[in-house]
Amino acid sequence: MSMLTNIDTGCQSGGVGTSTNVESIGESVVNASTGAETLPVVVIGAGPVGLAAAAQLVDRGIEPLVLEAGPAAASAVRAWSHVRLFSTWSEVVDPAAEKLLAPTGWVRPDGATYPTGGDWAGRYLQPLADALGDRVRYGARVTGVSRAGRDRVVDADREAQPFTVHILCTDGGADGRTDGPAAGREERILARAVIDASGTWSTPNPLGGDGLPALGERAAADRISYRVPDLADPAVRARYAGKRTAVVGTGASAFTALALLADLAEDAPGTHAAWILRRGIGGDTFGGGTADQLPARGALGLRAKAAVEAGHATAATGFRTTAVEREDDRLVLVAEDGRRLYPVDEVIVLTGFRPDLSFVSELRLALDERLQAPVGLAPLIDPNVHSCGTVYPHGVNELSHPEADAYLVGMKSYGRAPTFLALTGYEQVRSIAAALAGDREAAERVELVLPETGVCGGAGLFDQPGAAEGEDEGEGGGCCAAPAPAVLRIGVGAPASAGGC
């Protein structure tokens, strides 16, 4: 049997001369007794939380290896580069990352200003990836994670085995192109731990109200988008100008699309949005407004409300789509109750995202049966219970699984739940890095206060008694108040006196 050696992987890296513990497909299986302490911690995804995880690990003296499917850092963020964040620069820069960037001469942007996705990627995330250098590898799509010589069924000596991470070198980025010099080559990397920060951007929820694609949705793919449109792009602008567009969803992305289409209507007569809500309209439909501690998020909801009041958007409530039908050159959405929407030219589906768990299916993950989030985290973020965006700080205990040293973090840790903030992800990976370094006290100590939404909604997913408009704070299972600043111990419950959720 040939032993594992350090060889160049051939996938693009953040620097030159990159090498790591890998083997190409076709070589002999590695000796699984390789010392785990000499192996890197593999981080999947070079987005905001993945890069923060790498920075936190470096700060702890642990070597990370970041695997990014795209050709550059933050490929998913770049896909919505035209959208402005509702968090300021001060809330989207990780402290360990800033420490790593300091020797490079990096200058932190004005903390009181709001970056776009493009700003975030270009002015912070790519420089951070560059500072990490050879620890970041591009064009490396993860296709599977397991234990060396052990599928998920085998118990024997399981935790003594390193993780095996299978990758496909694409050299073509997030679009999956496979025509680069190393494209198509498969490799296996050994790791002492795996932090999956791959996000959910590649798996948007479908139009169908039952979680499945509506009948005819795939056939109408040429008229359906699952992203906020970039109306500064002439081709995209022409697609929606003077058209009737159905916007499906009630979150920040839907608010953004409604506001953009309303602005377009000022210059392009005939532009109109049919806003499709699966629920009714209540006091919390447009978010927290002026009560939101993230002012830009509150203002976004108010812009969407103004679009409706100005007649640029017409709401269809309680509309759960079951089919998409062609009528001449337009589309008709059909609801489960038989209602048919007036024909539209385009459909923008902004109903959230879901995690891709296919490549971690050989790991023993404890996931909530509804949210597909870690079972320790799910009760804190379940929109069936509450609709506010404030979540108790959480870390390694809530994110741990039966598979030791395997973690889902960032957007992926939230599964199908909404309202994720970058600050939450940064705190997650700080805690996990501390745990991997053996500093359990630091891993379980969290000092983080998240902004509240100013919204209490009781059941956050479906109209039902107890979720009515005008419900008092603290009733119906909702919650609004942010937790008081305090040192919290993760995994042992929230303070009884705290008013947060």
Side-chain angles (χ1 to χ4, degrees), residues 142-187:
V142 174
T143 59
V145 182
S146 188
R147 292 278 189 177
R150 308 290 189 275
D151 63 21
R152 65 181 295 159
V153 176
V154 178
D155 290 333
D157 203 28
R158 185 177 187 85
E159 291 191 8
Q161 309 307 312
F163 289 95
T164 59
V165 182
H166 288 226
I167 65 171
L168 174 67
C169 292
T170 65
D171 282 7
D175 60 2
R177 209 180 80 225
T178 56
D179 57 357
R185 189 168 80 186
E186 294 180 271
E187 295 169 358

Side-chain angles (χ1 to χ4, degrees), residues 224-240:
I224 300 177
S225 170
Y226 301 86
R227 309 290 188 233
V228 174
D230 181 5
L231 298 183
D233 182 322
V236 176
R237 189 178 184 86
R239 176 175 179 175
Y240 297 101

Side-chain angles (χ1 to χ4, degrees), residues 394-412:
H394 58 276
V396 67
N397 286 351
E398 288 80 2
L399 297 171
S400 292
H401 296 278
E403 195 76 73
D405 296 332
Y407 303 98
L408 309 183
V409 300
M411 282 289 296
K412 191 160 188 176

